[in-house]
Amino acid sequence: MPKNMKCRCPWLDVTKPDYVKYHDEEWGVPVVDDQTLFEYLTLESAQAGLSWYTILVRRDGYKAAFNHFNVEEVALFDENNVNELLLNDKIIRHKGKIEATINNAKCFILIQQEFGSFSKYLWRFVNNRTILNSWQNKKDYPATTQESDALSKDLKKRGFKFLGSTTCYAFMQACGMVNDHSVDCYKRTQIINEYQQG
């Protein structure tokens, strides 16, 4: 089978090369690096109410706007930064989401201080092991799970914003806390084999 004919997840628009690249190289791969986790958290919270692709095409804009997702620097952003970002057409100019990112950076650092890393805190919600699902069709995918409910509830308790259960589940999918590649997607087995899970 030609490389571009690999079987991939049913939700993926294979006519968009950048979307395919994201699916093939990032989505569902377990992440333990805190900076990457902060990036994913920021992008997923920005997505709330929008399509993921809307955010994906602005990813470089977000990277530049939020200092390459340096959580310590973002936590220091002030009202002047917010006003500048509201004029930045490379990101979604939503004041609530921009302010939430700054707020979430501060909360993120508090978790790092409490647990040693955000990763250690986060992966507890799946007992430090990727949950392996077996979806076949687009309609099989849930919007939320018990784990995303628990994560969202705890994040909210700790002061995070724009991270409801649906957003948290999308985040969990992205950073590999769940392997939600469909049963016939080539990445599902690749991730299982590479991380010795299954």
Side-chain angles (χ1 to χ4, degrees), residues 1 3 11 45 48 64 70 72 84 89 111 120 129 133 152 182 184 192 194:
M1 183 182 289
K3 187 178 180 184
W11 52 262
S45 66
N70 182 311
E72 289 85 3
E84 285 176 16
D89 63 3
I111 286 179
K120 286 179 183 176
R129 185 177 177 84
N133 291 317
S152 176
S182 59
D184 55 356
I192 291 169
E194 187 170 345

Side-chain angles (χ1 to χ4, degrees), residues 138-191:
K138 196 174 178 180
K139 63 178 175 56
D140 294 336
Y141 288 81
T144 64
T145 61
Q146 287 183 337
E147 291 82 8
S148 69
D149 289 346
L151 175 58
S152 176
K153 184 178 179 181
D154 198 69
L155 288 172
K156 285 180 181 177
K157 187 176 74 175
R158 293 172 180 276
F160 285 79
K161 297 176 180 176
F162 277 93
L163 288 168
S165 188
T166 300
T167 300
C168 281
Y169 192 63
F171 171 67
M172 292 171 69
Q173 290 174 309
C175 70
M177 294 172 73
V178 293
N179 183 342
D180 265 1
H181 286 280
S182 59
V183 290
D184 55 356
C185 177
Y186 84 97
K187 281 296 292 188
R188 182 178 189 269
T189 303
Q190 189 181 89
I191 290 171

Side-chain angles (χ1 to χ4, degrees), residues 18-146:
D18 48 355
Y19 211 177
V20 173
K21 185 175 189 291
Y22 171 71
H23 169 276
D24 288 1
E25 297 178 8
E26 294 184 77
W27 195 75
V29 175
V31 175
V32 294
D33 173 69
D34 271 15
Q35 185 167 351
T36 304
L37 289 171
F38 180 63
E39 175 180 357
Y40 283 18
L41 202 69
T42 298
L43 296 175
E44 293 294 351
S45 66
Q47 183 204 345
L50 304 169
S51 74
W52 170 244
Y53 191 71
T54 299
I55 302 301
L56 185 63
V57 296
R58 291 170 172 79
R59 190 176 189 176
D60 287 341
Y62 274 93
K63 188 174 289 188
F66 291 103
N67 296 22
H68 292 266
F69 302 104
N70 182 311
V71 69
E72 289 85 3
E73 293 179 8
V74 174
L76 296 175
F77 280 18
D78 58 19
E79 191 174 346
N80 289 331
N81 296 109
V82 173
N83 291 333
E84 285 176 16
L85 290 170
L86 285 170
L87 300 174
N88 186 340
D89 63 3
K90 301 290 192 294
I91 65 170
I92 301 299
R93 291 176 286 182
H94 183 294
K95 188 174 184 182
K97 290 180 179 180
I98 291 168
E99 290 176 338
T101 297
I102 299 165
N103 168 80
N104 292 350
K106 296 172 183 175
C107 298
F108 192 100
I109 290 169
L110 291 177
I111 286 179
Q112 288 178 316
Q113 292 170 349
E114 182 179 347
F115 291 88
S117 72
F118 187 82
S119 176
K120 286 179 183 176
Y121 158 80
L122 182 68
W123 280 87
R124 293 160 50 250
F125 287 90
V126 291
N127 296 316
N128 299 302
R129 185 177 177 84
T130 299
I131 294 171
L132 180 63
N133 291 317
S134 300
W135 314 128
Q136 291 185 322
N137 304 304
K138 196 174 178 180
K139 63 178 175 56
D140 294 336
Y141 288 81
T144 64
T145 61
Q146 287 183 337

